[in-house]
Amino acid sequence: MPGSARTASQPSASLTRSRPGRRPPGRRPARTAPGRRRAPRRPGRTAGAGLPRTPATWACAVYAVTAWLLFGTSAVYHLGIWGPLGEAVLRRLDHANIFLIIAGTCTPLAVLLPADRQALLLWIVWTGALAGIAFRVLWVSAPRWLYTPCYLALGWAPVRYLPDFLRTGGAAVVTLIVAGGLLYSAGAVVYAVQRPNPSPRWFGFHEVFHALTVAAFTAHYIAISLAVY
């Protein structure tokens, strides 16, 4: 009958509809080289998206900002002559940034911890950092023997989490964390006692302190790269 009969050129819908267990017509399965597996997709990354917006990404961003502040402010402070007011402001910022880099370094490492331990570590280091910043800004002339132990105490706060870092990050990460902490501590002692002072004009105790700081930062940077990236 007109309007009810199908022509031979019009395939039935049931023939074009994909059946369970069969791929749709015209599509071929993706092929991989023999003996190779398809690489798994990284957590937090979606197809067509840019950088993953994961806690590790933001933690590393915090670490990067605190590092820029530390080294940028220190470079400005030591490379220029700023007068009494400028010296006072830059000195406060320079010393306050030490507390920031301690908390900033702990932030991406905290990603390796379970949620409850992660929150506790971040609360300890950031509360301590803010208290230390207030202390150095309000009392810039405090003696070295008083504020240097504050840096050391805050810097070694994560030591109780080393077993967790070992379990989730591995021996290399823990070794670099401890090595960086020892280098930072050695630099703090050199800064406090002003010894050794091999060449006061060219490379005195202050330069030794900065060299140890750079070496410690490098160790921690590598540890964070291995653990998070």
Side-chain angles (χ1 to χ4, degrees), residues 29 32 35-37 42 45 60 66 68 76 94 97 109 126 128 141 153 167 170 180-181 193-194 197 201 204 218:
T32 56
R36 296 185 61 183
R37 295 181 180 179
R42 292 184 179 181
R45 188 180 294 274
C60 290
T66 57
W68 294 337
V76 172
D94 186 47
N97 283 330
L109 292 175
W126 281 103
S141 61
R167 184 168 53 254
V193 302
Q194 303 183 21
N197 195 26
R201 182 178 181 183
T218 303

Side-chain angles (χ1 to χ4, degrees), residues 23-133:
R23 67 177 183 272
R27 296 187 59 184
R28 296 181 179 179
R31 296 181 179 179
T32 56
R36 296 185 61 183
R37 295 181 180 179
R38 189 177 300 175
R41 182 174 295 172
R42 292 184 179 181
R45 188 180 294 274
T46 56
L51 289 174
R53 298 300 185 261
T54 63
T57 303
W58 298 117
C60 290
V62 170
Y63 174 56
V65 169
T66 57
W68 294 337
L69 288 172
L70 175 76
F71 291 109
T73 303
S74 181
V76 172
Y77 176 43
H78 290 90
L79 292 178
I81 301 175
W82 307 104
L85 179 59
E87 289 278 339
V89 171
L90 287 172
R91 186 183 180 192
R92 283 175 168 86
L93 293 175
D94 186 47
H95 290 196
N97 283 330
I98 297 175
F99 287 107
L100 280 182
I101 192 61
I102 294 172
T105 302
C106 292
T107 300
L109 292 175
V111 176
L112 298 174
L113 301 174
D116 55 340
R117 290 175 174 263
Q118 182 182 124
L120 178 60
L121 174 60
L122 292 176
W123 186 87
I124 291 172
V125 295
W126 281 103
T127 301
L130 293 176
I133 290 171

Side-chain angles (χ1 to χ4, degrees), residues 176-222:
L176 288 165
I177 291 173
V178 173
L182 292 174
L183 288 168
Y184 272 131
S185 299
V189 172
V190 169
Y191 180 80
V193 302
Q194 303 183 21
R195 293 288 185 278
N197 195 26
S199 178
R201 182 178 181 183
W202 302 108
F203 199 85
F205 79 92
H206 202 78
E207 286 71 30
V208 174
F209 158 69
H210 279 289
L212 290 169
T213 298
V214 171
F217 176 85
T218 303
H220 282 171
Y221 177 82
I222 296 172

